Amino acid sequence: MNFLGAHILSINQFDTQDVERLFSIADQMQPYAHRELKTRVLEGAILGSLFFEPSTRTRISFGCAFNLLGGQVRETTEIKSSALAKGESLYDTARVISGYSDIIVMRHTMDGSVEEFSKASRVPVINAGDGSAEHPSQALLDLYTIKKELNIEGEINGLNIALVGDLKYGRTVHSLCKLLKLYKNISFTLISPSELKMPKDIVDDLLKSGHEVNETENMETGLGDKHLVYLTRIQEERFNNQEEANTYRGRFRLNQSIYTAHCEPDTVIMHPLPRDSRAEANELDNDLNQHPSLAIFRQADNGVLIRMALFALTLGIEKDIHLTSNKVNWYTDRRF
Ligand code: NCD
């Protein structure tokens, strides 16, 4: 794909070469994200950050990524604090904000809303999550993390992976499946309540691309023999009422004793976060916090690298980053 000036709306825009290109730029961002070097390459540029749905990691990491490249962030959070609450259309918001910004990152409750917005935008738009549809930058950082955690150089082949939880409404697992589809011989075990199964079109596409898919409600057997287990939260905000969401909370949990009994000793544990740590849910227990295969915080850290790389490529400054770079002059002894 041609990244320059592109809207990043769906993972379907990417092929494996695009992914490798992005990942090699992400690798180059390490010294900046780790606060060894600083760069001013985006000095003067403005990111419009529009999050019309709750977000911690995605919003802050997109903002940090832009700041780390030297740019500024202007943001609005929640529909109620923006003019959308006064009945403004996505079209008008897009026309206006794209006049103030060089690039826009947007999250919204409705499937397809970011694409609709992008059609009226005068600058590139990155989808930071539209309803239960897609979350492309998350899938990219997830795949980047998978490769780092499993020491995979080049193309992925023969991965054995379990996706657990709310596979119906979880946009992260939708985008991740669409991305993994591009590779070879992946065995997917999809563990969810039968009412929250992965959408059929996504499963059909995986099968058509030659992958193996097993769907089950049995977490214990589903966890066996996996390189990786990817847990998700019940997406309570997508249900008609909380009672319905409550019936699924806590159904599938991973903790130290379940891990020891059913996983390989080094099965990598991932979760897009936030994990729901309330007692009735707790899909990923704190008793695994010190486990060396718990990748969740390295996964969240990788979000900054991937988002810096997306900005660099869409704004065409990927070759200039190091031209303006200097050592940082503050205390940076980070304990990883
Ligand atoms: C996810 C999301 O918003 O889709 N969070 C994230 O961006 N890391 C997952 C979730 O909210 O459960």
Side-chain angles (χ1 to χ4, degrees), residues 52 76 78-89 92-93:
F52 301 122
T76 180
E78 295 191 272
I79 288 182
K80 68 176 186 304
S81 58
S82 79
L84 292 179
K86 300 180 186 170
E88 186 169 60
S89 65
D92 286 4
T93 307

Side-chain angles (χ1 to χ4, degrees), residues 2 9 18 34 37 41 57 65 93 96 111 125 144 174 179 198 200 211 221 309 315:
N2 182 5
L9 302 172
D18 301 327
H34 288 173
L37 295 175
V41 67
R57 266 147 297 276
T93 307
V96 172
D111 295 23
V125 176
Y144 185 80
H174 298 165
L179 184 54
M198 182 68 77
K200 189 172 174 317
H211 300 294
T221 54
L315 294 174

